[in-house]
Amino acid sequence: MQFFGGSEISPSPPVPTASGNNAYVLYIFNRNGVCLLYREWNRPLKTLNSQQDHKLMFGLLFSLKSLTAKMDPTCVDKGNLGVPQLPGQGCSFHSFRTNTYKLSFMESPSGIKIILVTHPRTGDLRESLKYIYNLYVEYVVKNPLYSPGAPIRCDLFDTTVDQYVRGLG
Amino acid sequence: MAPVAPRSGDAIFASVERVNSELFTLTYGAIVRQLLTDLEDVDEVNKQLDQMGYNIGVRLVDEFLAKSNVSRCVDFKETAEVIAKVGFKMFLGVTASVTNWDAEGTTCSLILEDNPLVDFVELPDTCQGLYYCNILSGVIRGALEMVSMKTEVTWLRDMLRGDDAFELQVKLLKQVHEEYPYKDDE
């Protein structure tokens, strides 16, 4: 959602860091709100402690999904705002952009939510988020030492995601 | 970029890495034999197989969703079709058929003509109560629970007990909607 016209009007966003890395932050949540992974590459301003930050992010997306589904003009169902939904049901919002960042979101039907915050000029990241989901399946889900629902502590996954995200954009 | 269309079971089966089916059958057989030796009671073994299947299903569902690109199924009928045609094909190499829908559309049967788990297997007289493929019922239950459906999966027909096919009954108990997990005052 871009309010008040294009980003040319607002002050231009900060230039990406010298490494050419486009991405700022990555979150992965599961269906119960547990933050499985949090990685940051470029986040100069931190206003909240990490617990509150995760809750805020999860809550934001939860509400946004609900809102976008209820405001869908093509949808037949006239449910009230606030009625709980199944993960993946309804129209799925996939990104929003402000003058300083773009947030891309993907949710699987099993409730795994992947959020990537990048430079606002970034294009459509849906395929990239799918690829990160595939990485999650290969390195985390198939890892017998990982217990589902716990935060991810897997070095191989961290390095692969890091490499992939740095190569984006 | 438009979202990618869902892939058919055959297409995914052709693209994943496969393992020798005899190795798979023999490994599964070794697991069941070891459980019988350790636990000795056939009902306990059935329960353990179901629990193991549940743990597998909980992880398997993400791999299934990632590789097959299916979007959320609209209703339980579609879910059962997807499990039978894409899921079984992708992981076991065989397709199942869906029949025996009840009036409300919450119970159906998955029929497997061919089952790689039971190649060369015969049940001896001491194990007559054993559901040899009970891991499959756990897998389906675990996988569906991760997509918000609580189900009950039972065996109606079992070829190792003399029937002509494998028939699994899948009954949808309820759909669990997602709730906001944090309490408001925290």
Side-chain angles (χ1 to χ4, degrees):
Chain A
M1 38 195 209
Q2 274 180 284
F3 295 130
F4 312 128
S7 50
E8 281 72 32
I9 303 170
S10 322
S12 50
V15 176
T17 56
S19 66
N21 186 20
N22 236 353
Y24 298 163
V25 191
L26 171 74
Y27 297 82
I28 301 184
F29 289 101
N30 76 352
R31 57 211 302 257
N32 298 323
V34 176
C35 184
L36 303 178
L37 188 74
Y38 169 73
R39 294 296 312 275
E40 68 180 41
W41 291 274
N42 180 15
R43 190 175 189 176
L45 181 66
K46 284 195 242 280
T47 49
L48 302 164
N49 74 25
S50 54
Q51 272 270 43
Q52 285 180 317
D53 182 57
H54 298 157
K55 273 165 65 168
L56 181 67
M57 180 57 79
F58 186 82
L60 165 73
L61 291 163
F62 190 86
S63 315
L64 210 50
K65 265 195 317 159
S66 183
L67 184 71
T68 51
K70 290 299 177 275
M71 285 184 64
D72 185 359
T74 62
C75 177
V76 182
D77 178 33
K78 294 263 183 267
N80 293 319
L81 193 61
V83 169
Q85 290 192 312
L86 301 171
Q89 195 183 43
C91 68
S92 49
F93 102 91
H94 50 85
S95 60
F96 69 76
R97 198 183 340 208
T98 71
N99 57 315
T100 47
Y101 67 90
K102 175 176 184 183
L103 185 144
S104 306
F105 171 71
M106 187 199 94
E107 188 183 16
S108 77
S110 58
I112 302 293
K113 304 171 180 33
I114 304 184
I115 296 113
L116 191 57
V117 179
T118 56
H119 190 271
R121 303 258 182 224
T122 316
D124 188 6
L125 283 178
R126 273 181 283 182
E127 288 303 310
S128 309
L129 292 177
K130 267 230 101 224
Y131 185 75
I132 295 179
Y133 183 52
N134 275 321
L135 288 181
Y136 165 77
V137 165
E138 290 299 319
Y139 289 104
V140 178
V141 171
K142 290 188 180 177
N143 182 348
L145 298 176
Y146 169 72
S147 36
I152 299 171
R153 302 245 182 278
C154 179
D155 292 329
L156 205 50
F157 180 62
D158 286 342
T159 35
T160 321
V161 164
D162 197 52
Q163 255 181 335
Y164 178 68
V165 172
R166 282 183 196 276
L168 280 180
Chain B
M1 248 189 290
V4 185
R7 304 166 67 188
S8 72
D10 293 317
I12 311 169
F13 185 63
S15 67
V16 294
E17 272 179 30
R18 273 159 285 168
V19 75
N20 182 313
S21 71
E22 280 169 13
L23 177 62
F24 179 61
T25 309
L26 291 173
T27 307
Y28 184 68
I31 294 176
V32 178
R33 283 200 57 180
Q34 194 57 45
L35 282 173
L36 282 166
T37 316
D38 289 340
L39 301 171
E40 287 172 25
D41 175 32
V42 159
D43 288 323
E44 267 307 306
V45 173
N46 285 337
K47 259 197 261 172
Q48 272 290 62
L49 284 174
D50 187 73
Q51 185 59 36
M52 285 167 67
Y54 179 83
N55 292 331
I56 293 177
V58 159
R59 295 172 189 254
L60 204 74
V61 69
D62 276 317
E63 183 176 359
F64 174 72
L65 292 170
K67 297 226 158 76
S68 69
N69 270 329
V70 292
S71 52
R72 174 119 215 143
C73 291
V74 172
D75 56 13
F76 189 59
K77 287 203 172 165
E78 196 183 335
T79 309
E81 285 295 322
V82 164
I83 294 177
K85 301 286 178 274
V86 187
F88 270 99
K89 183 73 193 174
M90 189 170 148
F91 293 109
L92 287 180
V94 292
T95 45
S97 51
V98 187
T99 54
N100 285 350
W101 280 104
D102 72 339
E104 292 118 42
T106 54
T107 309
C108 68
S109 291
L110 294 170
I111 311 224
L112 277 167
E113 306 284 328
D114 187 19
N115 185 347
L117 292 173
V118 302
D119 288 339
F120 322 124
V121 174
E122 268 176 29
L123 283 188
D125 295 325
T126 50
C127 304
Q128 282 308 312
L130 181 69
Y131 286 112
Y132 187 81
C133 307
N134 217 24
I135 209 166
L136 291 179
S137 62
V139 169
I140 295 177
R141 187 171 63 92
L144 287 178
E145 187 163 317
M146 294 307 278
V147 286
S148 320
M149 290 186 228
K150 275 206 155 8
T151 52
E152 199 180 290
V153 186
T154 42
W155 287 100
L156 291 183
R157 279 190 285 167
D158 189 333
M159 270 169 110
L160 295 177
R161 294 183 176 205
D163 301 313
D164 51 351
F166 287 98
E167 185 170 343
L168 262 177
Q169 185 185 60
V170 184
K171 181 165 162 192
L172 175 68
L173 299 174
K174 67 175 188 168
Q175 304 246 28
V176 185
H177 293 263
E178 65 177 297
E179 293 176 347
Y180 189 63
Y182 308 120
K183 291 206 272 292
D184 281 331
D185 51 7
E186 279 177 351

